[in-house]
Amino acid sequence: MEEAVVVQPQNFISVQVGGSLKLECRVADQTPPGPVKWFLGNDPHRKLIYQDKLRDQFKRVTRDKESSGTDFTITLHNATLEDTGIYYCVKQMKKAHGDDTDWESGRGTQVVVTASKNDRYIIPAVVCVLLAVLLTVAIYFYIRKKRGWNSGTSRSETSLSESTKTPNQQSGDKEIVYTDLKYPERLPRAKTSGLQASSEYAAIKIRPTISGSINGERKDASLS
């Protein structure tokens, strides 16, 4: 069985946000000239993670043994959730013109970055606060809308009761009947019993008081 030229011994790595992870890679001695690079992903849109020639551009990645020609293990610091994916160690062959081409690639190492313990509590707490705020706002607008509806209902009921009032009103022992003087025929006829007073604006009916009735009865009794 032919020995692999590029060896990635790790299948899976898990790390929390903010932590560091080590990606191991070993390359055989007998290989054509060309660089060894680390990529995130294995498609045309893969992301370059590390290359010796551009080491200064990768602030979070360091090579463990920079002088070694076979050990290309790197360490990724301050991991983020976006670092989750499959990492490939790739041996490339240098071309006289144009970009280098892949010669052999490792089998890949799956990396999973998880939220820290603090984030596990912070995120649910933030969600609960947001839900509480939304619930408070909803209750506020509901109460405000309900108060406005009740106020409108009261005003409409008051207007309705005023519009349905009869034109007759009583004040003490007097019955006041209002009418439109433009149409005197609409003036209700007053009853024949009792005293009656009228004006050009209203017909006023005066009811006899109780004391008056009693005095009348006494006079009748004395005459008899």
Side-chain angles (χ1 to χ4, degrees):
M1 183 176 179
E2 185 178 354
E3 185 179 356
V5 176
V6 180
V7 178
Q8 285 183 249
Q10 302 160 296
N11 293 326
F12 178 83
I13 299 175
S14 179
V15 64
Q16 290 185 352
V17 172
S20 299
L21 61 96
K22 181 175 289 190
L23 296 169
E24 299 180 7
C25 176
R26 294 189 297 272
V27 179
D29 290 332
Q30 304 298 325
T31 57
V36 175
K37 300 178 182 178
W38 277 95
F39 292 96
L40 173 58
N42 193 26
D43 55 34
H45 303 288
R46 62 187 180 179
K47 180 181 178 181
L48 179 63
I49 298 300
Y50 181 82
Q51 178 184 356
D52 281 339
K53 185 178 180 181
L54 305 174
R55 64 170 61 93
D56 294 337
Q57 297 182 12
F58 307 102
K59 304 297 182 182
R60 295 190 300 130
V61 181
T62 57
R63 183 179 171 187
D64 291 5
K65 299 178 181 179
E66 295 183 358
S67 59
S68 175
T70 58
D71 190 344
F72 291 89
T73 299
I74 62 173
T75 299
L76 176 64
H77 305 276
N78 193 21
T80 65
L81 295 175
E82 289 75 16
D83 294 328
T84 297
I86 302 178
Y87 290 75
Y88 294 90
C89 180
V90 180
K91 169 62 181 178
Q92 291 188 332
M93 183 172 59
K94 190 173 183 61
K95 295 177 62 177
H97 302 284
D99 297 333
D100 300 334
T101 57
D102 295 352
W103 188 66
E104 188 168 336
S105 173
R107 62 182 179 180
T109 301
Q110 174 71 54
V111 173
V112 175
V113 182
T114 60
S116 63
K117 294 181 179 179
N118 292 333
D119 293 339
R120 294 175 185 174
Y121 296 104
I122 292 175
I123 294 176
V126 171
V127 172
C128 291
V129 171
L130 291 176
L131 290 176
V133 171
L134 292 175
L135 181 60
T136 303
V137 172
I139 293 174
Y140 168 77
F141 281 106
Y142 172 76
I143 294 175
R144 185 175 179 182
K145 182 178 179 180
K146 188 174 181 181
R147 287 180 177 176
W149 184 84
N150 290 338
S151 177
T153 304
S154 300
R155 287 196 297 269
S156 62
E157 289 177 353
T158 303
S159 301
L160 180 61
S161 62
E162 291 179 352
S163 62
T164 56
K165 281 184 179 179
T166 60
N168 298 343
Q169 294 185 357
Q170 291 185 356
S171 177
D173 294 332
K174 299 180 180 181
E175 181 179 358
I176 304 175
V177 180
Y178 296 95
T179 187
D180 191 348
L181 297 180
K182 293 182 179 180
Y183 305 98
E185 64 275 6
R186 297 183 183 178
L187 180 64
R189 295 182 180 179
K191 295 181 180 180
T192 57
S193 61
L195 300 177
Q196 180 174 330
S198 61
S199 67
E200 59 177 344
Y201 296 104
I204 303 175
K205 177 182 178 181
I206 302 176
R207 295 181 178 178
T209 61
I210 297 176
S211 59
S213 300
I214 295 174
N215 292 334
E217 292 176 357
R218 288 180 180 177
K219 286 181 181 182
D220 294 338
S222 60
L223 291 174
S224 62

